[in-house]
Amino acid sequence: MAYLEDVLLAPLVSEKNWKLQEKNKYVFKVHPHANKVQVKRAVEAMFKVKVTKVWVMNHLGKPRRRKYWQQGRTQNWKKAIVQLAKDNRIEIYQ
């Protein structure tokens, strides 16, 4: 990946992720080949905040069926949880 804009794909909004915001943690869907350092640099550059810790996890696609003979899987994807410094906030969930 050549550009930091390509690392973060979308913020993930769910009830659990809203509770993580109270602990100053934010969740993003990231590029499948991104690592922790790239995620940290992308968040710091895009939102002008200080990142203290990053967790990255891979999610296996779910099995799906169109008809009884056609089977497949949804796409695999990667998720990152980013913890910010104490006085930093991100206002992306509005």
Side-chain angles (χ1 to χ4, degrees):
M1 278 171 294
Y3 302 105
L4 292 176
E5 297 85 25
D6 297 335
V7 175
L8 299 178
L9 300 179
L12 296 177
V13 181
S14 70
E15 203 169 316
K16 183 176 179 181
N17 297 345
W18 278 102
K19 291 185 185 263
L20 285 175
Q21 284 186 26
E22 295 170 2
K23 299 176 186 174
N24 219 12
K25 296 178 183 176
Y26 296 87
V27 184
F28 296 95
K29 184 175 182 179
V30 297
H31 193 277
H33 299 294
N35 59 30
K36 289 182 178 187
V37 175
Q38 292 170 331
V39 171
K40 179 179 178 178
R41 288 179 183 163
V43 171
E44 287 179 343
M46 291 179 75
F47 299 108
K48 309 290 189 273
V49 293
K50 175 72 175 137
V51 175
T52 57
K53 193 160 186 168
V54 177
W55 296 269
V56 177
M57 56 211 77
N58 291 311
H59 285 271
L60 186 64
K62 297 179 182 178
R64 293 288 185 231
R65 245 195 269 203
R66 281 201 206 150
K67 298 183 180 177
Y68 66 91
W69 72 87
Q70 288 181 332
Q71 292 184 348
R73 297 188 81 84
T74 59
Q75 192 173 18
N76 298 337
W77 57 287
K78 189 178 263 191
K79 173 170 86 170
I81 300 174
V82 178
Q83 184 174 11
L84 303 181
K86 209 166 212 162
D87 56 346
N88 291 312
R89 308 276 314 151
I90 295 177
E91 295 298 329
I92 55 174
Y93 306 116
Q94 295 179 356

